[in-house]
Amino acid sequence: MEKKIIYLDNAATTPMYPEAVEVMLPYFTERFGNPSSQYSLANEGKRAIESARKQIAATIGARPEEIYFTGSGTEADNWAIKAVAQAYRDKGRHIITTKIEHHAVLHTCEALEREGYRVTYLTPDEDGIIFPERLLRVLTPDTILVSVMTANNEIGTIEPIEELAKIATERGILFHTDAVQAYGKLPLSVEDGNIAMLSASAHKIGGPKGVGFLYVRRDVRLQSFLHGGAQEKRRRAGTENVPGIVGFAKAVELTFASREESEQRESELRDYFMERVLSEIPYARVTGSVKERLPGHVSFCFQFIEGETVLIMLDSDGICGSSGSACTTGQTEPSHVLTAIGLPEDVVHGALRFTLGRDTTKEDIDFTIDRMKEVIGRIRAMSPYYAKFAARDGKE
Ligand SMILES: *Cc1c(COP(=O)(O)O)cnc(C)c1O
């Protein structure tokens, strides 16, 4: 019998909706035409792209011509930040972001620093929240861009981006948000005009890997990301990933058709998961905000264990979780997010993240917690340090 997999790493990527796979298939075979060509075979692809654009625009209250398809969420982040830096450099060279962004934003900003831009990295509070007052304090006449993620991938904290975007926009500064974790999970809208750019990715919501989009408000002066053909209004050249875009649109349709229901269901499972762990496993704490939190996002730090060790042991039971963000796994450096919210290094090493998905059941969570209790108990039992600590603390 094949071992059952309990997949609790949906922040890293998600399984595709079978319906999304299904609608992609004809675009590899009978509808393979290049959308830039002149015959009707090509028109099918072109029409599919424009209908996907329209559909996706509607989910955030944008106009279709403000949506640009990209090759990933990472590309959308890179494009937004680099292109604004380039286009607005006569106005200023100062960019504001946060210490807890995804590396797609952080490393892009670091690259710009090497080119002579000045970047301020805002520090969040201990829940991972970026306070608007902190943004107000660091704005300068030289600031051209503020980039703050909608929700954090490692700790699930939701940022007050409406307020942050308003502060920036009122001062004539562009606001970008990496909404890769939030898109399809939280209600998002660009209708008030304060968000200038927004990035999202298909594979985090049941779509294919290798396709994302960047929303660009129509007044933003944006340099082309790739030069070549006339695709994406000459701003992102290259033959379109037609099957990917079609699959993305299907995933968007299905995700948004049940978005509120999923939010409710995954939030309940999340709270159940957190409460059980906190009451049944000693020396555990939730990382990130308990209140301002993505549905389905559960993250902890456990003292006296290495997150990596627990993960390996859980993997032998078919349970997939994460010890930090997927991109930092394999590195020995402690997570930049957990460090930024002020956790000491020994606690950071005991980080575990579980992100639920549309197929996660209460039984999956119960099984996972039972295994966690066993594994964490076993690792701690081998630690003389823990025994001494627990004895003094009266837990054992
Ligand atoms: C996954 C992720 C990205 C990168 O998206 P890709 O499509 O995998 O390149 C960017 N930002 C956040 C917050 C993410 O979670």
Side-chain angles (χ1 to χ4, degrees):
M1 198 182 83
E2 213 179 307
K3 189 167 73 180
K4 181 174 153 59
I5 293 288
I6 298 182
Y7 184 74
L8 298 176
D9 201 15
N10 287 275
T13 193
T14 57
M16 277 189 70
Y17 285 103
E19 298 92 327
V21 177
E22 200 63 37
V23 296
M24 287 172 74
L25 295 176
Y27 291 90
F28 290 108
T29 51
E30 66 263 32
R31 295 185 206 159
F32 64 89
N34 186 325
S36 299
S37 302
Q38 306 305 320
Y39 28 76
S40 44
L41 177 69
N43 281 336
E44 293 190 40
K46 202 177 174 64
R47 261 203 307 276
I49 293 171
E50 294 321 313
S51 122
R53 199 186 310 280
K54 208 165 140 194
Q55 188 195 332
I56 287 171
T59 61
I60 57 166
R63 297 188 188 178
E65 64 271 22
E66 294 172 314
I67 302 294
Y68 294 85
F69 288 111
T70 64
S72 61
T74 299
E75 182 187 313
D77 285 341
N78 269 260
W79 186 9
I81 296 166
K82 288 179 186 166
V84 164
Q86 180 79 32
Y88 290 81
R89 72 168 177 224
D90 291 339
K91 185 178 171 237
R93 303 273 175 107
H94 181 228
I95 294 167
I96 300 170
T97 185
T98 80
K99 288 187 179 156
I100 59 168
E101 297 300 308
H102 189 274
H103 283 147
V105 169
L106 278 184
H107 290 167
T108 302
C109 288
E110 287 161 15
L112 287 174
E113 281 188 277
R114 292 191 287 274
E115 289 176 28
Y117 290 86
R118 200 160 60 77
V119 182
T120 303
Y121 300 89
L122 293 170
T123 304
D125 78 342
E126 59 192 11
D127 283 342
I129 293 174
I130 301 294
F131 281 103
E133 301 82 72
R134 295 200 182 170
L135 172 61
L136 280 168
R137 254 184 267 143
V138 297
L139 292 168
T140 70
D142 200 32
T143 310
I144 50 173
L145 174 69
V146 176
S147 178
V148 180
M149 67 203 317
T150 312
N152 184 272
N153 45 309
E154 284 192 50
I155 56 175
T157 300
I158 300 168
E159 301 299 344
I161 60 154
E162 277 181 31
E163 277 174 84
L164 297 165
K166 187 161 179 279
I167 289 171
T169 307
E170 280 175 354
R171 287 158 183 79
I173 300 164
L174 297 175
F175 185 87
H176 164 253
T177 189
D178 172 343
V180 175
Q181 286 296 330
Y183 181 66
K185 298 192 189 104
L186 305 174
L188 294 179
S189 170
V190 298
E191 251 157 339
D192 68 7
N194 290 334
I195 295 175
M197 291 170 291
L198 179 149
S199 313
S201 178
H203 77 99
K204 303 285 173 89
I205 60 159
K209 292 170 182 63
V211 56
F213 75 79
L214 180 65
Y215 154 77
V216 184
R217 201 177 59 208
R218 52 200 173 277
D219 62 295
V220 176
R221 271 189 278 141
L222 195 75
Q223 311 264 337
S224 298
F225 186 67
L226 292 173
H227 302 273
Q231 296 91 352
E232 302 295 289
K233 293 187 283 178
R234 293 189 184 279
R235 284 171 147 183
R236 203 273 184 188
T239 301
E240 298 89 338
N241 175 3
V242 185
I245 292 168
V246 167
F248 191 3
K250 191 64 179 181
V252 166
E253 178 195 321
L254 296 170
T255 298
F256 280 85
S258 60
R259 199 200 60 76
E260 282 172 50
E261 247 168 79
S262 308
E263 183 176 356
Q264 176 74 19
R265 199 185 75 85
E266 289 178 27
S267 298
E268 280 166 19
L269 286 174
R270 170 198 69 195
D271 294 343
Y272 171 75
F273 197 145
M274 295 200 293
E275 280 158 25
R276 256 202 81 185
V277 165
L278 291 181
S279 67
E280 296 176 37
I281 304 181
Y283 310 115
R285 66 165 102 170
V286 168
T287 57
S289 171
V290 172
K291 223 175 103 243
E292 298 300 322
R293 196 173 184 92
L294 282 172
H297 193 294
V298 173
S299 61
F300 308 99
C301 273
F302 297 93
Q303 276 178 276
F304 311 108
I305 57 141
E306 292 279 334
E308 306 279 338
T309 316
V310 177
L311 277 187
I312 292 165
M313 290 165 86
L314 290 179
D315 182 37
S316 63
D317 288 317
I319 299 167
C320 308
S322 164
S323 59
S325 72
C327 319
T328 24
T329 305
Q331 275 176 227
T332 45
E333 268 176 53
S335 141
H336 66 282
V337 176
L338 299 176
T339 307
I341 59 172
L343 293 175
E345 195 167 326
D346 61 315
V347 174
V348 167
H349 284 297
L352 284 173
R353 177 188 79 181
F354 300 98
T355 42
L356 321 183
R358 57 184 191 272
D359 298 328
T360 309
T361 62
K362 185 160 170 292
E363 288 68 39
D364 293 339
I365 292 172
D366 284 328
F367 179 72
T368 302
I369 296 173
D370 290 343
R371 297 308 304 145
M372 280 169 76
K373 282 166 73 173
E374 215 272 316
V375 165
I376 292 174
R378 193 143 36 102
I379 298 172
R380 283 176 173 172
M382 291 187 286
S383 155
Y385 181 54
Y386 177 72
K388 222 185 278 170
F389 184 91
R392 219 181 311 141
D393 204 36
K395 289 257 161 108
E396 218 105 287

